[in-house]
Amino acid sequence: MVRILLASLVEGGHVVTRPPVARAHLADKEILEEVLNGLRAKFG
């Protein structure tokens, strides 16, 4: 039932579909720590 409803919404132009976005790589822990240290230095 959900697929039928979704198909009707797509056909009617009420819902736009697109392919999934590729997963981003996780940020390096050292970079995140440096950013956090910089924020702490700037904002206390």
Side-chain angles (χ1 to χ4, degrees), residues 4-16:
I4 295 169
L5 174 60
L6 184 57
S8 296
L9 290 171
V10 170
E11 288 174 6
H14 303 288
V15 173
V16 177

Side-chain angles (χ1 to χ4, degrees), residues 18-26:
R18 62 179 185 217
V21 176
R23 286 189 111 166
H25 295 285
L26 294 177

